[in-house]
Amino acid sequence: MTEPLIIEEIKNGDNSQLAEIYKAYRSEFVRWASSHYQCDKEEARDIYQASIITLYDNIINEKLKQLNGSVKTYLFAIGKNKIMELRRADKKFDLTQEVHRIDIEDEPDNEKQKEKQLEIVQRCLEKLGEPCRTMLELYYYHDTGLDKLAEMLDYKNGDTVKNLKSRCLIRLRELVTQELKKH
């Protein structure tokens, strides 16, 4: 069945399509989340379950009317976002790890390397300037939510902050990349 028809069927109450999607991608999602995000299998299954529920809610509430990619891609993107939310909530995820999504070493071998990388990120964060520095620090180090940031920094809403945060993070990555090339 094609992607638009699957969405339409689910929207019209045919949950058999949702069950098929659930079965089709569950094992692959668990493997993917375990290998890419160091989730244990039980945590990955829970995240997958929550992702399926979000997919369903988005279809029913018409947040998802048309897919640009596949159901699998959309579902995995939801899962990735849920993993990131969980990591921030657990304080296992920090700005340094986010910056390191560029092609540099994800897991430093020793404490000295970790300290050096943290120093580079901190220096680059200072170079970044305002409002980016404050926004990234509040979001990653103090777990401040997007809506709260919008209120604190006097922006229209959480979506505005999300877009600005994304641009700030891209700029920070560029600065870190430049700094690493010097060393």
Side-chain angles (χ1 to χ4, degrees), residues 76-120:
F76 278 47
I78 292 170
K80 177 184 174 187
N81 290 333
K82 292 202 174 292
I83 291 167
M84 294 304 169
E85 287 172 16
L86 184 63
R87 292 295 180 254
R88 279 191 296 273
D90 289 345
K91 296 191 183 254
K92 292 178 184 173
F93 185 82
D94 65 24
L95 182 58
T96 304
Q97 288 172 319
E98 180 66 21
V99 169
H100 285 24
R101 298 197 155 264
I102 55 178
D103 293 329
I104 60 176
E105 190 173 348
D106 281 351
E107 290 297 321
D109 293 333
N110 60 46
E111 287 301 313
K112 202 171 200 176
Q113 283 178 306
K114 285 181 186 177
E115 286 177 29
K116 181 181 175 190
Q117 288 180 356
L118 184 57
E119 286 173 17
I120 289 171

Side-chain angles (χ1 to χ4, degrees), residues 22-112:
Y22 183 88
K23 289 177 205 169
Y25 303 119
R26 183 175 184 236
S27 296
E28 186 177 352
F29 181 90
V30 169
R31 281 191 306 276
W32 174 78
S34 298
S35 68
H36 285 82
Y37 297 98
Q38 292 72 45
C39 295
D40 62 45
K41 290 192 185 316
E42 185 174 324
E43 181 180 46
R45 281 188 214 103
D46 290 345
I47 292 167
Y48 185 70
Q49 181 75 29
S51 300
I52 288 286
I53 292 168
T54 300
L55 170 67
Y56 176 78
D57 287 344
N58 288 350
I59 292 170
I60 296 301
N61 296 323
E62 295 188 359
K63 288 182 181 176
L64 175 63
K65 294 178 183 178
Q66 179 180 348
L67 283 171
N68 294 329
S70 68
V71 169
K72 176 185 168 186
T73 302
Y74 186 79
L75 185 60
F76 278 47
I78 292 170
K80 177 184 174 187
N81 290 333
K82 292 202 174 292
I83 291 167
M84 294 304 169
E85 287 172 16
L86 184 63
R87 292 295 180 254
R88 279 191 296 273
D90 289 345
K91 296 191 183 254
K92 292 178 184 173
F93 185 82
D94 65 24
L95 182 58
T96 304
Q97 288 172 319
E98 180 66 21
V99 169
H100 285 24
R101 298 197 155 264
I102 55 178
D103 293 329
I104 60 176
E105 190 173 348
D106 281 351
E107 290 297 321
D109 293 333
N110 60 46
E111 287 301 313
K112 202 171 200 176

